[in-house]
Each structure stands twice: as C-alpha cells, then as structure tokens.
Amino acid sequence: MKQKFITALLFLQFCFLSVVGQPSLSDAGSVYDICVDGQRAWIAGSNGLLSYDAVNGLRQETVIPEEWTKGRSWSVATADGTVYVGMYHGRIGRVTANGLEEVAVLPDGDICSDLHAVAGGALFAGGRKLYRVKAGVAEPYTLPGSELQSSYQINDICDDGSSNLWIGARLNTDGVFRFREGALTKVSDKTGHVSRLAPDGKGGVWAVVSKMGSGLYHFASDGSVAWHEPSADGLVDAQSQCVAVDGNGMVWSGRTTLSGYDGTSWRHAALPEGRAAGCMVALGSKLLVGTAQGVMVFDGLSFTDVPSTVIDLSRPSVLPASSLPRYTIDGRRVPSPRPGMMIVEQGRKYVAR
C-alpha cells in the first residue's frame, strides 16, 4: 500500500496534465489573458493554463512544469492549432502533448506581457519592445518615441485582418501604434495608457484607455478616430480595463460594469459583487470575462460560471487508432491518430495503439 501511495505521488509530481476537480473555471485564480481558436478558449492564469471546449462543455487544466514556474503564465496565443504561452520572466513556450517546448526567451530580462499568433506561423511578443519570434530568435522593434519614456510596456497586440498589427502600450503620451511590413508607426497622439485592443471586424480596432484621456477609442479603417468619453457617451466605468466585440458586432468595455455599444445606443450589465473584468474575449455571441477570481461567461444579459465536465486524465485506456475520435488532448484535429497519441473523449483519456 505504501509503495502504491509513493508511486501515485511521483506520478502527480511529474505529470504535465492534471485532473481537474471543480465544476467551473473559478480555480483559474487571477486571469491574465484569454485567447480563442474556433470554439476552444485558452486561459492563462496564476494557477496555470486552462482550456475550455465550448462545444462539448469540456475543461482541461495544463500544469506549468516546475522549471517554468519562476514566472507566471502571463499571456497566451493560438493559431493554426498551436498554443503558445508567454511567461512573466520572458520565456515563451509551445504547448505539446508532453509539456511546454521552449520557443524563445526575450532578451535583456524583458517581460512577455502579451503574445499574438497570426495564421501562417508568425508569432509576436510584447514587452518593452515588439518582438517577432522566428526560429528561436526574438527580433526586436522599438516603438517610436519609447526611448524617451522612463517607463513603458506593450499591453496588448491584435491584428485587423488586413496585414496590420495594432499595439497598445503604456506610455506617458502616445500609446497606439501600427506594425506593417516590418515598420512601426504612430497612430494617434491623443491616447495614453492603452489597456486592451479588439478588432472591429471591419479593418479597424477598438482601444480602451484607462489613464490620460480615458475612455473607448475607435480607429476605423478609413483613418478616422472616434472617442467615447466615460459617462457622457454611455461608458459607466471611467477606468475600463478591457474591450471585446461579440459575435453580433456589439463592442463591450468596462471593469465592474460592462457597457455595450451597437453603434447607436448603449446598454449596461453589472458584474457580480466583488468581481472586476481584467480581460475578455468573444466566444461566438458570448464573452469570456477574466477576473481575479477566475472566468465567467457573459451572454449579453448576465454572468455565470462556465459549466464543464471533469476530464479524468488519471486512468487512460488503450484503443486501436482507427476507433478513436479525431481530437488530441490539446484540442487539435488530426486526420488519423498515430500510435501513442493521446485523445480525450467524453471525459476520458485514450492512448492510440
């Protein structure tokens, strides 16, 4: 009995994937970043990396290996079925079935404050500079004017679907930049501390600014800029921290109260008492909202914990590859499972033989 107990402890210590024992995403702890690939969301939080399959209602926890835990999982990005995690100490990893595989480390002790992956393989990281990560090297691009600032950091990166990257930064004066074909340019001199960005689906972006000209800015594809001022323009929170555009085209922004704008009118929804939105992302017509107490789903009217089915990863079964479903444990679809590949179906893990 004692030997079995010790064996079990060793298994839990070295196993990359762990059993999830709670029926919601509240055990994510403080949530720092969320990204979505189709109907699967990935959540980087203080307790590791969580994924949520909205179609099957399945949730999975990925434990950050011990050698990576010198820094928190600060940011997450996904494209082409690959998931990347950026750590507080600048280390960037790729999620695999066997653990985290190092992709690059930002130079000069820089913090990986945000990651953005583009379809086709391009990966960008934000810190005190913008980095393009390729072949294990983080190539830096310095933000115009940032060398004059005593303190600055890239807070968010997004793309508008037209080969433009948009960068939101914490600066004393100008916090919005655009990156295209290797060149960084200023977009606006009116904004300061940009917390988050969200593409509008029409070639432009929304930016939420929490200091110095706080409010919600819309940078349209034609170059025009619109500013929605707190209170006067319908925004309830003067210090909004996040912004997202849902599947219906409505833009939402806020902190303790989300304010939604459809281009004409506003409506509002207060978060549960004690909760505040730090990041959010659209998942179809709904939003996933990250807080210091985990993740909630917002359907446009109310907030609820994400329902889930516990995935038991402790007792895998072995089945012929031909009989297995076509999804790996990290959510990637494969044409045919190979021997040794691990698959999740209905809360059980299977190993192809």
Side-chain angles (χ1 to χ4, degrees):
M1 177 65 72
K2 182 177 180 181
Q3 183 177 2
K4 290 182 178 180
F5 178 74
I6 294 174
T7 302
L9 286 178
L10 290 173
F11 174 80
L12 290 174
Q13 180 179 357
F14 293 103
C15 186
F16 176 73
L17 296 168
S18 72
V19 178
V20 179
Q22 299 295 326
S24 73
L25 284 174
S26 60
D27 58 356
S30 294
V31 174
Y32 305 126
D33 198 17
I34 309 174
C35 70
V36 170
D37 185 6
Q39 288 297 307
R40 178 176 290 270
W42 295 86
I43 300 102
S46 57
N47 292 342
L49 181 68
L50 293 173
S51 68
Y52 173 67
D53 181 347
V55 174
N56 300 310
L58 297 178
R59 179 173 65 99
Q60 180 179 328
E61 180 181 4
T62 301
V63 178
I64 303 298
E66 184 177 354
E67 64 268 24
W68 287 74
T69 55
K70 294 178 181 178
R72 301 187 296 268
S73 53
W74 193 256
S75 55
V76 62
T78 181
D80 302 324
T82 301
V83 181
Y84 302 93
V85 180
M87 309 301 290
Y88 186 79
H89 54 31
R91 197 174 181 184
I92 301 171
R94 179 191 296 112
V95 177
T96 72
N98 298 318
L100 281 180
E101 176 183 281
E102 186 173 286
V103 173
V105 179
L106 299 187
D108 304 321
D110 206 348
I111 295 171
C112 185
S113 53
D114 193 54
L115 283 177
H116 184 75
V118 180
L123 177 65
F124 294 87
R128 290 179 58 83
K129 299 179 180 180
L130 176 70
Y131 300 90
R132 179 165 186 165
V133 180
K134 188 175 182 180
V137 177
E139 179 184 2
Y141 298 86
T142 301
L143 276 63
S146 62
E147 66 276 5
L148 303 177
Q149 306 292 335
S150 60
S151 176
Y152 68 95
Q153 174 184 302
I154 292 175
N155 286 336
D156 203 11
I157 306 169
C158 76
D159 67 81
D160 58 16
S162 301
S163 302
N164 295 308
L165 279 187
W166 292 74
I167 294 96
R170 182 181 66 209
L171 294 166
N172 290 334
T173 53
D174 185 15
V176 181
F177 303 84
R178 185 165 50 211
F179 180 81
R180 183 181 177 90
E181 297 179 352
L184 267 169
T185 57
K186 292 183 179 180
V187 176
S188 174
D189 291 319
K190 298 179 180 180
T191 63
H193 187 146
V194 178
S195 298
R196 296 281 177 173
L197 301 169
D200 65 3
K202 302 175 183 178
V205 298
W206 292 90
V208 62
V209 178
S210 58
K211 294 180 180 178
M212 295 181 61
S214 62
L216 186 62
Y217 289 78
H218 182 222
F219 299 90
S221 58
D222 62 5
S224 62
V225 181
W227 176 40
H228 298 279
E229 186 180 359
S231 298
D233 270 355
L235 282 172
V236 173
D237 286 340
Q239 298 295 322
S240 297
Q241 294 293 315
C242 52
V243 61
V245 179
D246 67 21
N248 298 317
M250 176 170 284
V251 58
W252 293 91
S253 182
R255 183 164 172 77
T256 58
T257 296
L258 296 188
S259 299
Y261 183 60
D262 62 7
T264 304
S265 60
W266 294 81
R267 57 192 174 98
H268 312 282
L271 275 73
E273 186 175 357
R275 298 280 190 102
C279 61
M280 61 185 180
V281 67
L283 186 61
S285 61
K286 301 179 180 180
L287 299 178
L288 286 181
V289 181
T291 74
Q293 296 82 26
V295 181
M296 296 177 295
V297 62
F298 175 61
D299 62 6
L301 297 173
S302 59
F303 299 86
T304 58
D305 285 329
V306 177
S308 67
T309 301
V310 174
I311 298 178
D312 186 352
L313 297 173
S314 61
R315 296 184 299 278
S317 300
V318 179
L319 291 176
S322 60
S323 68
L324 294 175
R326 301 301 191 217
Y327 292 92
T328 64
I329 54 174
D330 54 2
R332 282 182 271 182
R333 187 175 177 86
V334 292
S336 59
R338 301 184 304 272
M341 183 174 287
M342 292 179 287
I343 309 289
V344 169
E345 182 186 35
Q346 296 180 352
R348 292 300 308 278
K349 183 176 75 171
Y350 300 97
V351 179
R353 69 175 182 218

